[in-house]
Amino acid sequence: SAPALREVPAEIRRPSYAETGVPAPASPFVDVQPPEAIDALRRAGQLARKMLELSCFLAKPGVTTNEIDALVHAQIVGAGAYPAPLNYRGFPKSVCSAVNREICHGIPSDRPLQDGDIVKFDVSVYTE
């Protein structure tokens, strides 16, 4: 069976795939957004950037990417946002992390980081 997903407080707005893992069909059209929607996107991007910086700060020898995922998850939901990777097409974690030869979208693991590892993170949030 699949591992349990990290919990997200009920009051946090969720994307279409949060429960099922299946995103709603995307519109084939580009919608021009009003200024308030663009401001909301800007705030989401600012939060994602802060969480990316946190992920990088936490990446030290001896720390696991799963520990980083847990801490960043807590900060994202603490800010009132949903960690966008969580359950997207069944992705089991809140942050994508790739170590060394993994290209991208790796699943955080319990392998401790080692001195010299190259670590990449992908952090995105769903909010407002």
Side-chain angles (χ1 to χ4, degrees):
S1 76
L5 299 176
R6 296 195 192 285
E7 292 194 20
V8 176
E11 65 273 10
I12 291 178
R13 186 170 175 225
R14 288 160 163 66
S16 63
Y17 55 83
E19 299 302 320
T20 66
V22 179
S27 170
F29 304 103
V30 175
D31 294 324
V32 176
Q33 299 295 316
E36 57 273 7
I38 293 171
D39 288 342
L41 287 168
R42 185 175 290 111
R43 287 190 298 277
Q46 290 167 342
L47 176 59
R49 172 62 189 254
K50 283 175 61 176
M51 296 302 103
L52 175 60
E53 289 173 354
L54 176 61
S55 299
C56 294
F57 174 79
L58 294 169
K60 297 185 178 2
V63 177
T64 70
T65 52
N66 198 34
E67 291 169 330
I68 293 168
D69 180 76
L71 292 166
V72 173
H73 173 92
Q75 291 295 309
I76 291 171
V77 299
Y82 184 92
L86 187 63
N87 206 29
Y88 180 79
R89 299 193 184 277
F91 192 82
K93 300 292 181 172
S94 296
V95 172
C96 301
S97 63
V99 180
N100 296 326
R101 296 184 181 196
E102 288 180 287
I103 302 298
C104 64
H105 301 137
I107 299 171
S109 74
D110 289 325
R111 174 195 172 274
L113 294 173
Q114 300 174 7
D115 190 35
D117 279 344
I118 297 169
V119 187
K120 291 120 356 225
F121 295 103
D122 182 358
V123 181
S124 51
V125 300
Y126 182 88
T127 186
E128 299 184 53

